Amino acid sequence: MKKAMRICFIRWIVVGIGVFAVSLVFLGLHTSSLQGSTIKQNTNRRDDVNTDYNMFDHQYTPANLKLRQYKQLPIDTGISNLKENLIKLAKEIQKTKIHIRGTKARESLTNVIDVVKDLFRLTNTSMDNFHRKTKSSKHICKEIYKGTTYGYPFFYKGFETKNCSYATSIDKLVTVVFIHKQEKVSKLEHILKNILNYNPRLKVVVGKEKNSRISLSESFGNVTVIDYSKADSDGTIWNLLITKVKTEYALIARNISTFNIDARLERLVREIEALDVVTAGGASRDQNGLWKLGCYQTAYKNFSLIYDEGYDESLHECIFCDYISGSFLSRLSTFQSFPFDAKMNGMSVFHDFFLRLSQSKLESVICPDSMFYMQKQKQSDNYNDWAQLGIKWKLYRMKISDEVDIQFPCKKETYKCFNGLGYVLSPCCLQELADMINFVMKTCEESNVLCELQEGTLLGAVKFHKVLPWERDADLTFLTANFTALTKLKSYIMKKYSFTYDAASLWCCADNRTAGGKMKVHSKHWHIEMYGQHLMDSEKLLTDGLKPTKILLNGQWVGVPRNPGWHARNRYGHEIYAHAQHWMAMGQGNGWIDYKTNQFTPCRTPGRHDCVDSFNGDGNLPFSLPIP
């Protein structure tokens, strides 16, 4: 299941890249053949190119937008831009290849790469454009590897730093920053002594609670002790300490227990500058001797924040991470541009910090040969420790590998429905509707009233086994003969929801039976419309001695027409398992339109986690938990 989710989630990327690559072949072949032709030939050939493009125009993808731009460009301009865009395409393909884990998607991407390599050869473009570019550090000299036997038998050495004219002492570059939390004075002295043993000129900024007494037995001239209030949040404290840093870099030594040569700060500075990343951290070793890489990949989409421990890419023996669970180094300018959130405490401070970095397309690495000693490795699984993070990022679910799995409660004051066209609804909003539907359907069943899902509510159950992510209301049908029985349930239903009915909506007759009947159930954000039918599949099945058909909707089995898949196909027509937004959101007059599927309205704020156009226009797996 996990592999299938990954395949569907990234397939739209592969398809878009493939379309763009193949189309560039058409563009290159057509435009290259234009050289030396007459104006008339140029005009005719351009028409041919446009004809080739038209077969892609029915789909809305970023790649096709680029194709449309090419169609509007003069031919010479298209040629001059071809190579530049080909290089951009190659870089995106390489990025996609790195993060793809599904086998089918990887096979498709391999075919795309073969096409792009042919384009590189045709345009005399260097294949180096597939790979990351690195540069020299401006402060730390280069390393050379002395060979596999150089460090034998303990391998405390192997890479040696060369001499260079631009070498800068680490104490002029880095300040160590950490918070002292009500520990014994001897423990603080131990940490400070170890830091200064590493480099006696290294500057340290340490925070301590105001009025807590610390009388250090020795003089620590490079140590600045800053008082903070007990009421201050961790985010506030870290920001306060950062203001005292005067060096270009600061090491956030979180939960530090000791310090020694394993920190290898020069290595971290070198790789920040060489790999052009914003933070570099090390592996962690806790007081029980447990060693951890501490590298996580994140996915923030559709009100969910998911962490997967591990890495997809490495360079210079460092691994690229979205989140670093141990100590990390960054430029002072980074902390100034991305200050810690003053509302956050504990681990949430750093999760919020790294999430903002990754959302800004800034990268981080861990160089595991750098190692920091910390007090504990475990992430908190207490909801209260993550509550503020959940509110800020509008989270419904947060899952950190196999360590933490939290579902945030749906408090009515913290969510709203209907952000407008182009957005999926929050899980809390959808849960409110699902709960109301399931309550009504269970009430019907317990009262021997025949009720079935109808319209988009049925379609959502067939396609997703839950409410459609872009729903606007719910539709149920009931047996008109049960109208009076339903009205007698009014007092029971109104213990949870508003309930109205229209007795005048009954009419006579259809097939010698009373027909019609209309009711409405309301919650804070939603309403269910219930319409009576004089005949229903559930009644026919019971007459034949068969149980009515039921379908799973948000964890509950509820009544539906005899063959729900057939019913939905006949109701909505072609390609119903691809997606179309609700007719109300699209500004249509009613729901009896001919829906055009496999396309979503562009989001007003591109890149938001709840943009509906960030999902594939087909398939239900992309609407499950995101895969990093």
Side-chain angles (χ1 to χ4, degrees):
M1 175 63 72
K2 193 172 182 181
K3 289 183 178 179
M5 290 169 64
R6 290 170 175 158
I7 291 168
C8 288
F9 183 69
I10 56 182
R11 185 170 291 162
W12 71 271
I13 299 176
V14 176
V15 171
I17 290 172
V19 168
F20 191 27
V22 173
S23 300
L24 282 173
V25 174
F26 289 137
L27 180 63
L29 293 176
H30 283 301
T31 54
S32 63
S33 66
L34 289 172
Q35 298 175 0
S37 300
T38 64
I39 295 176
K40 182 177 180 180
Q41 289 172 325
N42 285 344
T43 303
N44 292 338
R45 190 60 55 90
R46 187 178 297 178
D47 291 340
D48 291 340
V49 174
N50 289 343
T51 300
D52 288 333
Y53 287 143
N54 285 336
M55 63 178 157
F56 303 118
D57 282 350
H58 69 285
Q59 293 181 336
Y60 173 82
T61 66
N64 292 328
L65 290 182
K66 179 64 69 177
L67 292 178
R68 292 188 185 118
Q69 291 171 11
Y70 270 115
K71 288 167 62 177
Q72 297 167 5
L73 289 172
I75 291 299
D76 291 342
T77 305
I79 293 172
S80 64
N81 288 342
L82 175 60
K83 192 167 184 177
E84 177 184 347
N85 281 282
L86 182 57
I87 292 172
K88 290 179 182 178
L89 173 65
K91 290 179 178 178
E92 288 300 315
I93 287 176
Q94 181 63 12
K95 187 186 299 183
T96 305
K97 179 185 176 184
I98 287 167
H99 296 292
I100 277 184
R101 302 176 200 174
T103 54
K104 291 183 179 179
R106 180 171 289 277
E107 290 169 2
S108 297
L109 185 60
T110 300
N111 296 332
V112 173
I113 290 175
D114 289 340
V115 174
V116 174
K117 286 181 177 179
D118 286 339
L119 289 172
F120 269 49
R121 284 188 287 269
L122 288 170
T123 56
N124 295 318
T125 306
S126 171
M127 295 297 293
D128 290 340
N129 289 292
F130 266 99
H131 306 295
R132 280 184 179 270
K133 296 291 190 294
T134 61
K135 54 188 178 182
S136 298
S137 168
K138 66 177 182 179
H139 291 117
I140 308 298
C141 303
K142 293 181 178 180
E143 289 179 308
I144 56 171
Y145 182 51
K146 304 289 284 187
T148 57
T149 60
Y150 181 71
Y152 180 85
F154 300 112
F155 296 98
Y156 294 142
K157 57 185 181 180
F159 283 88
E160 297 293 329
T161 301
K162 298 172 62 177
N163 293 325
C164 64
S165 59
Y166 53 85
T168 307
S169 176
I170 198 66
D171 56 87
K172 294 181 180 178
L173 291 173
V174 176
T175 299
V176 178
V177 182
F178 67 97
I179 297 175
H180 169 65
K181 291 260 189 181
Q182 293 296 319
E183 296 168 345
K184 295 180 180 179
V185 174
S186 59
K187 187 65 175 177
L188 177 60
E189 285 193 352
H190 169 75
I191 295 172
L192 293 175
K193 285 179 181 179
N194 285 336
I195 292 174
L196 299 180
N197 282 339
Y198 178 83
N199 186 311
R201 296 180 300 278
L202 198 62
K203 298 175 181 62
V204 181
V205 176
V206 57
K208 77 168 184 68
E209 187 178 325
K210 193 181 299 182
N211 300 325
S212 65
R213 294 184 178 182
I214 296 180
S215 55
L216 298 175
S217 60
E218 296 185 18
S219 174
F220 295 96
N222 294 328
V223 177
T224 301
V225 179
I226 304 297
D227 286 344
Y228 62 84
S229 169
K230 187 175 183 179
D232 288 339
S233 68
D234 287 350
T236 298
I237 299 169
W238 284 110
N239 286 334
L240 175 62
L241 301 184
I242 289 294
T243 63
K244 307 303 177 183
V245 174
K246 305 301 180 186
T247 53
E248 183 175 347
Y249 291 89
L251 175 74
I252 303 298
R254 47 196 291 203
N255 291 328
I256 188 173
S257 63
T258 191
F259 200 93
N260 60 26
I261 59 171
D262 290 329
R264 297 173 46 75
L265 298 182
E266 292 88 350
R267 164 85 156 125
L268 300 184
V269 171
R270 181 192 291 116
E271 296 310 331
I272 284 180
E273 297 177 351
L275 299 178
D276 196 24
V277 295
V278 291
T279 63
S284 299
R285 180 191 187 276
D286 70 12
Q287 291 178 313
N288 294 318
L290 304 180
W291 184 92
K292 230 183 146 178
L293 274 174
C295 177
Y296 294 79
Q297 309 304 319
T298 62
Y300 173 53
K301 188 171 184 177
N302 196 18
F303 303 89
S304 299
L305 178 59
I306 309 299
Y307 291 73
D308 205 359
E309 189 172 9
Y311 65 96
D312 293 317
E313 183 182 8
S314 68
L315 194 59
H316 289 190
E317 303 82 52
C318 298
I319 57 178
F320 287 84
C321 313
D322 293 333
Y323 173 74
I324 296 172
S325 67
S327 298
F328 62 91
L329 185 80
S330 191
R331 287 187 175 91
L332 179 61
S333 59
T334 301
F335 296 116
Q336 292 168 340
S337 299
F338 296 88
F340 296 111
D341 191 322
K343 295 181 180 180
M344 299 289 172
N345 279 300
M347 293 288 188
S348 289
V349 173
F350 303 109
H351 284 273
D352 173 74
F353 174 77
F354 280 103
L355 190 52
R356 284 183 284 132
L357 291 183
S358 62
Q359 289 287 295
S360 299
K361 309 302 181 186
L362 299 173
E363 295 186 300
S364 303
V365 295
I366 284 177
C367 303
D369 52 291
S370 168
M371 184 177 75
F372 294 95
Y373 294 74
M374 64 189 304
Q375 296 166 28
K376 60 180 180 179
Q377 301 270 25
K378 184 175 172 54
Q379 304 257 20
S380 171
D381 56 3
N382 187 330
Y383 159 77
N384 292 326
D385 292 335
W386 303 106
Q388 196 61 45
L389 187 74
I391 292 171
K392 177 176 180 177
W393 292 92
K394 302 185 186 304
L395 298 179
Y396 178 76
R397 180 87 175 270
M398 179 178 179
K399 188 175 187 302
I400 305 177
S401 198
D402 296 326
E403 306 164 52
V404 177
D405 192 350
I406 292 174
Q407 183 170 308
F408 294 86
C410 294
K411 298 178 181 179
K412 292 183 179 180
E413 65 273 12
T414 64
Y415 74 89
K416 65 176 183 177
C417 301
F418 316 119
N419 289 318
L421 187 61
Y423 299 97
V424 292
L425 301 176
S426 76
C428 290
C429 188
L430 294 171
Q431 189 65 51
E432 180 185 329
L433 178 58
D435 288 344
M436 183 164 59
I437 295 170
N438 284 342
F439 172 80
V440 172
M441 294 299 288
K442 185 176 181 181
T443 301
C444 288
E445 183 175 10
E446 291 175 345
S447 304
N448 295 316
V449 172
L450 296 182
C451 297
E452 295 175 356
L453 303 187
Q454 288 283 294
E455 301 294 314
T457 311
L458 174 64
L459 186 63
V462 168
K463 291 167 64 169
F464 292 93
H465 288 301
K466 57 185 180 182
V467 175
L468 290 170
W470 42 85
E471 189 59 275
R472 284 295 182 271
D473 62 0
D475 294 286
L476 307 180
T477 189
F478 62 90
L479 188 65
T480 301
N482 294 149
F483 181 85
T484 301
L486 268 174
T487 62
K488 291 180 179 179
L489 297 171
K490 179 177 180 178
S491 59
Y492 176 76
I493 294 173
M494 289 191 68
K495 291 179 180 180
K496 294 195 68 171
Y497 303 105
S498 298
F499 177 66
T500 59
Y501 60 88
D502 180 10
S505 60
L506 296 170
W507 59 278
C508 184
C509 285
D511 297 321
N512 295 318
R513 286 187 171 200
T514 301
K518 184 176 181 180
M519 303 179 177
K520 276 194 176 183
V521 182
H522 295 266
S523 67
K524 179 179 179 180
H525 297 102
W526 294 98
H527 69 270
I528 298 176
E529 293 187 337
M530 301 179 64
Y531 292 95
Q533 288 186 181
H534 70 291
L535 291 173
M536 288 179 61
D537 281 347
S538 295
E539 181 189 25
K540 293 177 182 178
L541 289 168
L542 287 170
T543 300
D544 293 339
L546 300 173
K547 291 184 177 181
T549 304
K550 291 187 176 183
I551 199 169
L552 195 64
L553 179 75
N554 284 77
Q556 180 175 311
W557 292 96
V558 296
V560 290
R562 185 189 78 249
N563 183 339
W566 189 18
H567 183 109
R569 183 171 184 247
N570 286 329
R571 165 64 181 89
Y572 288 104
H574 293 292
E575 305 305 338
I576 64 166
Y577 293 98
H579 308 312
Q581 289 165 269
H582 198 281
W583 62 269
M584 292 182 184
M586 300 296 292
Q588 300 292 331
N590 59 66
W592 299 100
I593 61 174
D594 184 12
Y595 290 90
K596 298 185 184 303
T597 60
N598 208 0
Q599 57 186 1
F600 287 129
T601 302
C603 189
R604 292 197 313 272
T605 311
R608 257 181 54 160
H609 70 98
D610 56 347
C611 285
V612 69
D613 63 349
S614 69
F615 293 91
N616 196 358
D618 200 351
N620 63 9
L621 289 176
F623 292 90
S624 304
L625 283 181
I627 302 298

